[in-house]
Amino acid sequence: MQPTLSTSRARAGHRAALAGLLALALPAAPGMAAKGCCTDPARFHYDPLPPQGSVDLVINSSSPTFEFQSGPSAFRAFLLPEASRPYYIEVRSFIAGGSDPERARVFYPVVAVLTDDFLVSRSTDLESLHFDLPLFEATTDPAYRLVLPIDPSNPHERYIVVFTPSNLNEGRTLPPISTPESAAEAAKIAYLGAAPYGRLRITLHPGEAVPATSAAPADPPAR
């Protein structure tokens, strides 16, 4: 019988595989910095998220990067707050460059949830993104948004990492365009203006009990 690996070695192997679990099989984005902050998520700097309210952040060339399987991506990492009730994490990534499609740029966000052992518990995908226009004070600027449920009954989920897949500028078949909403959906499908950096806002909303899945549930009620 082959000897089993020790717990510490198994965890090290899982951490080394983080790149493959987080990244999509896409080539690196042009112009993306090649430097990486480290090779172990345990060494990431995790900013604490407040139990309520919003945090504005910028991911730019000064942000840490991680060498994912598909290439490097700038990212930000956060420590989840202590909570006794379920809540939602809402991530908005604002479009820069105005309404001109040739100039508009956006950081398409993906979120990975890590356990207290810095292993991947679950993650969102690009299909979780929704386009928001600045209507009814839902957002001050056009933005792509995702909503992630957090259930404190799963105490091992302790961190989130916000990053973007490398190089989303692939050829895709676009749907018919007849309204601003369908144009936004077409832009999303084509991942027009995908950028390695961007301006984001993370907001925590109270919520009901939700299953711990990577798919986003119905949006939380407007506040």
Side-chain angles (χ1 to χ4, degrees):
M1 179 179 295
Q2 294 292 330
T4 60
L5 293 174
S6 67
T7 301
S8 60
R9 289 185 61 191
R11 289 177 178 174
H14 283 300
R15 291 173 185 169
L18 178 68
L21 291 169
L22 294 186
L24 299 180
L26 297 171
M32 174 67 75
K35 66 179 181 179
C37 73
C38 47
T39 57
D40 189 342
R43 297 178 58 192
F44 290 177
H45 173 73
Y46 294 92
D47 292 307
L49 283 177
Q52 58 184 359
S54 299
V55 173
D56 291 314
L57 61 136
V58 174
I59 295 179
N60 55 28
S61 59
S62 298
S63 301
T65 65
F66 186 75
E67 189 73 26
F68 299 100
Q69 183 179 12
S70 61
S73 174
F75 73 91
R76 289 287 300 273
F78 298 91
L79 170 67
L80 297 177
E82 298 288 345
S84 58
R85 300 182 60 183
Y87 60 94
Y88 295 92
I89 293 177
E90 179 184 75
V91 179
R92 294 182 189 270
S93 183
F94 298 102
I95 296 176
S99 58
D100 184 350
E102 293 185 359
R103 297 183 178 181
R105 297 291 181 269
V106 66
F107 179 96
Y108 288 95
V110 174
V111 175
V113 183
L114 307 186
T115 67
D116 46 8
D117 288 334
F118 304 101
L119 308 180
V120 178
S121 172
R122 55 194 169 109
S123 62
T124 67
D125 56 32
L126 294 170
E127 296 304 314
S128 302
L129 293 174
H130 301 276
F131 181 74
D132 281 349
L133 290 169
L135 300 175
F136 307 111
E137 300 182 353
T139 180
T140 56
D141 299 294
Y144 281 97
R145 173 176 59 95
L146 66 84
V147 177
L148 180 72
I150 301 293
D151 191 344
S153 66
N154 182 358
H156 296 294
E157 293 189 334
R158 296 293 294 128
Y159 310 96
I160 62 170
V161 178
V162 183
F163 67 104
T164 191
S166 297
N167 192 3
L168 299 178
N169 295 312
E170 292 187 331
R172 289 174 171 82
T173 301
L174 301 183
I177 299 175
S178 57
T179 64
E181 291 76 14
S182 63
E185 183 64 19
K188 172 188 169 183
I189 292 174
Y191 299 112
L192 298 180
Y197 310 123
R199 179 173 65 90
L200 299 91
R201 176 174 299 155
I202 299 177
T203 305
L204 274 66
H205 297 280
E208 301 299 328
V210 292
T213 65
S214 59
D219 294 346
R223 299 184 65 186

